[in-house]
Amino acid sequence: MPENKIYAVGLGPGSKDLMAPKALEILRSCNVIAGYKYYLEQFPDLFAGKTIISSGMTGEIQRCREALEAARSGKRVAVISSGDAGIYGMAGLLMELAEKDFPEIEVETVPGITAASAVGALLGAPLMNDFATISLSDLMTPEKVIIKRLEGVAEADLVCVLYNPASKKRRTLIRTAVDIYRRAVGEETVAGIVTDACRPDQQVMTCTLKDFPFDEIGMKTLVVLGNSRTVLRNGKMYTLRGYDDKYGI
Ligand code: SAH
C-alpha cells in the first residue's frame, strides 16, 4: 500500500549534531531524496545508496514535482531544505503543488533548526525579545514590498533577521536595509553577520551599522540587525529584555 505521503524535511544549519533526531530518522527511512545538490553534499553518508532527485537552485518546482510523482508511485520520499523546511523552505511549495495536482498526497513538515536560531546562538542571544525575519530575495517578493516591510520593522524597533541578504548580482537591498535601520534606530546599532553557520567555513562577525561590511555579505550569510536594546558586551551580542530595568540585577 503506498503511504500517500511526502516529507518536507529541514536539515538544520549544516552540522549533523544540529539535525533534529526526527529529521534524521525520516531521512534514513526514505529511499528517495530530493534537494539542491549543495545540501545533499553536506551529508554524503546519510544519502549514500538512495535515489537522488537533484538540480540547481532554480529547479525547485521541477524537483518538487518529480518528488511528488515518486511519492505517487509508492516510494518513500523526502524533500530537503536547509534549516527549517517551513521557513523559506520547500514545505509550502510542496503543499501548493499537491493541492493542485497531487491531491491524494499528504505533505508532512519535519522541522529543523532555522538559520536564525543557529546564528543567534553563535552571536550570543540577539533574539531575546520581539524580532522579525525578512528575506531580501526579490525573486518571489517585489522589491517595493520588501522595503515597506523593512521600514515597518525598523519603525517598530524590532530586531531584524535578514535571510538571503545578497548574492553576486543582487547587492542593493542590503544597503537599503542598513540605511533604513541607520535612520530609524541609529548608526551605533549593533549588527551580527554570520556566514556558513555550523559548517566548516563558518565566519562570525559583529559591527555597528556605521561600519557595516557590505563586501562580506553573500548567499550563505545571515544578517542580524539589532534594535535600540541590543548590546555587544564581553564578545556577546544580545538584546536586553528589560530584566535590569524592572527588577534591578
Ligand atoms: N530554510 C532555511 C532558510 C532558506 S533561505 C532556514 O530555515 O534556515 C536561504 C538563506 O538562509 C541563506 O541565503 C542565508 O541567509 C540563510 N542561511 C541558511 N543556512 C545558513 C547558515 N548555515 N549560515 C548562514 N546563513 C544561513
Side-chain angles (χ1 to χ4, degrees):
M1 263 294 279
E3 202 181 4
N4 284 344
K5 215 178 209 187
I6 193 164
Y7 297 94
V9 180
L11 299 180
S15 60
K16 206 158 176 182
D17 58 346
L18 291 182
M19 188 183 287
K22 181 171 177 187
L24 193 58
E25 182 195 312
I26 301 251
L27 290 171
R28 285 200 173 121
S29 75
C30 284
N31 34 35
V32 178
I33 308 285
Y36 178 44
K37 57 181 180 319
Y38 175 74
Y39 300 141
L40 290 159
E41 284 161 8
Q42 282 178 344
F43 302 101
D45 318 346
L46 186 56
F47 301 128
K50 298 185 190 286
T51 304
I52 301 294
I53 300 173
S54 184
S55 50
M57 204 44 142
T58 48
E60 291 166 2
I61 299 178
Q62 184 54 25
R63 193 163 63 223
C64 285
R65 269 192 193 288
E66 281 179 42
L68 283 157
E69 299 281 2
R72 178 180 269 166
S73 75
K75 305 258 170 51
R76 202 169 150 87
V77 185
V79 178
I80 57 169
S81 299
S82 70
D84 185 287
I87 300 179
Y88 311 116
M90 291 296 118
L93 171 58
L94 281 171
M95 286 170 198
E96 274 189 67
L97 289 169
E99 195 208 335
K100 259 190 137 172
D101 295 330
F102 303 84
E104 76 280 24
I105 311 274
E106 185 201 341
V107 181
E108 182 174 324
T109 309
V110 183
I113 294 181
T114 189
S117 294
V119 163
L122 291 168
L123 291 168
L127 312 181
M128 277 296 293
N129 209 336
D130 299 337
F131 68 97
T133 76
I134 294 186
S135 166
L136 295 190
S137 168
D138 58 1
L139 211 63
M140 232 64 88
T141 307
E143 190 181 280
K144 232 170 65 186
V145 175
I146 299 174
I147 293 174
K148 191 171 164 200
R149 290 178 183 164
L150 285 166
E151 285 168 345
V153 297
E155 188 55 39
D157 195 24
L158 292 171
V159 171
C160 187
V161 182
L162 300 173
Y163 282 75
N164 300 299
S167 67
K168 278 207 182 93
K169 288 192 208 145
R170 194 170 51 69
R171 307 204 60 85
T172 54
L173 264 176
I174 182 65
R175 290 189 181 270
T176 310
V178 170
D179 276 346
I180 289 172
Y181 259 74
R182 278 177 181 156
R183 278 199 303 273
V185 194
E187 294 243 302
E188 296 303 325
T189 305
V190 181
I193 294 152
V194 178
T195 300
D196 281 316
C198 314
R199 299 174 187 152
D201 295 332
Q202 171 176 297
Q203 271 190 309
V204 181
M205 293 174 62
T206 50
C207 62
T208 64
L209 295 187
K210 201 170 55 197
D211 307 311
F212 193 88
F214 291 101
D215 293 341
E216 302 292 327
I217 313 298
M219 286 264 283
K220 297 175 190 167
T221 309
L222 194 83
V223 174
V224 182
L225 302 176
N227 70 0
S228 62
R229 307 285 286 152
T230 306
V231 296
L232 182 63
R233 293 180 189 160
N234 296 323
K236 302 283 182 195
M237 174 181 174
Y238 58 101
T239 300
L240 302 170
R241 201 175 174 194
Y243 289 107
D244 198 22
D245 300 339
K246 181 143 189 197
Y247 301 109
I249 48 178

